[in-house]
């Protein structure tokens, strides 16, 4: 009975994701702007990434959405994908947020993106007052996303955040053992 319910929920989620992608394509074909931004700076790509919809993220990227967000965006899409991920008490990640992160990285999203509006001209010292994507993934206990970010070869596992914390500091404090292992394997804290 539980297997049927799980299978049904997965099929329903896949259908809903496919339907949302089709509806979004129809809206774009009818002239809806790809880089529309809400009053909070959310773009369709940011919303799709936050919702963990790789089908929609992929379609928007293929249509030309900026993987790094735009100058009005409050949250870069890569941060939206990380923040949208839900982790249960057993460490299981719900949704396809890691796949969204992978698609964003493949499309050119900055793996070192800070949670500041892109294009604001923040100096490096000011950037450190904001969290990196790796900090966010460590805080949220998302080891697979940490791996994806580190595998780009562009992310320093000892990157400093507000008050000088590293992602390893955050993972140790939060007791996220899988994230600690991933970061140590990448050379963090050496």
């Amino acid at each position: 009975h539980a297997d049927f319910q799980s299978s049904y929920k997965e099929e329903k989620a896949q259908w809903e994701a496919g339907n949302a992608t089709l509806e979004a394509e129809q809206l774009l074909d009818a002239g809806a702007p790809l880089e529309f931004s809400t009053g909070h700076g959310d773009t369709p790509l940011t919303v799709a990434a936050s919702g963990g919809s790789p089908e929609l993220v992929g379609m928007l990227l293929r249509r030309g959405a900026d993987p790094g967000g735009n100058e009005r965006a409050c949250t870069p899409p890569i941060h939206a994908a990380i923040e949208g991920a839900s982790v249960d008490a057993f460490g299981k990640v719900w949704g396809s947020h890691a796949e969204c992160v992978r698609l964003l990285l493949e499309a050119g999203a900055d793996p070192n993106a800070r949670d500041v509006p892109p294009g604001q001209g923040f100096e490096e010292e000011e950037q450190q007052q904001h969290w990196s994507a790796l900090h966010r993934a460590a805080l949220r206990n998302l080891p697979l996303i940490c791996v994806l970010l580190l595998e780009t070869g562009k992310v320093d596992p000892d990157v400093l955040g507000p008050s000088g914390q590293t992602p390893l500091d955050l993972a140790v404090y939060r007791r996220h053992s899988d994230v600690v292992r991933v970061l140590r394997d990448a050379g963090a804290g050496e």
Side-chain angles (χ1 to χ4, degrees):
H1 183 267
D3 289 339
F4 172 77
Q5 282 184 327
S6 176
S7 174
Y8 170 76
K9 286 180 182 177
E10 287 176 21
E11 285 181 29
K12 183 177 181 232
Q14 288 174 350
W15 179 84
E16 288 172 349
N19 197 35
T21 302
L22 178 61
E23 288 175 6
E25 284 183 301
Q26 290 171 341
L27 286 169
L28 291 170
D29 288 344
L34 183 62
E35 293 294 333
F36 172 80
S37 182
T38 67
H40 297 290
D42 294 327
T43 64
L45 183 58
T46 302
V47 173
S50 177
S53 177
E55 297 85 2
L56 194 50
V57 167
M59 184 275 293
L60 291 167
L61 290 169
R62 285 189 301 279
R63 292 280 190 122
D66 183 348
N70 63 42
E71 63 276 350
R72 294 179 310 275
C74 293
T75 303
I78 200 161
H79 278 268
I82 293 166
E83 285 298 310
S86 297
V87 182
D88 69 16
F90 303 102
K92 179 171 175 35
V93 178
W94 294 94
S96 301
H97 295 82
E99 180 63 11
C100 292
V101 168
R102 186 187 66 73
L103 289 168
L104 290 163
L105 290 170
E106 285 178 356
D110 181 1
N112 292 300
R114 299 282 180 148
D115 57 354
V116 295
Q120 295 298 310
F122 287 102
E123 299 299 323
E124 188 169 334
E125 307 83 54
E126 294 174 286
Q127 285 277 340
Q128 288 182 0
Q129 300 306 310
H130 300 275
W131 297 110
S132 72
L134 188 59
H135 282 100
R136 289 279 179 212
L139 276 169
R140 305 269 304 135
N141 194 22
L142 301 169
L144 178 55
I145 292 178
C146 289
V147 168
L148 291 170
L149 293 167
L150 291 163
E151 282 181 343
T152 66
K154 299 175 183 177
V155 176
D156 177 0
D158 289 316
V159 62
L160 297 178
S163 303
Q165 307 99 323
T166 66
L168 181 61
D169 295 333
L170 300 175
V172 168
Y173 177 75
R174 293 273 180 105
R175 297 182 180 156
H176 297 324
S177 59
D178 290 337
V179 172
V180 168
R181 194 172 12 266
V182 165
L183 293 169
R184 289 200 191 272
D185 287 350
E190 294 181 354

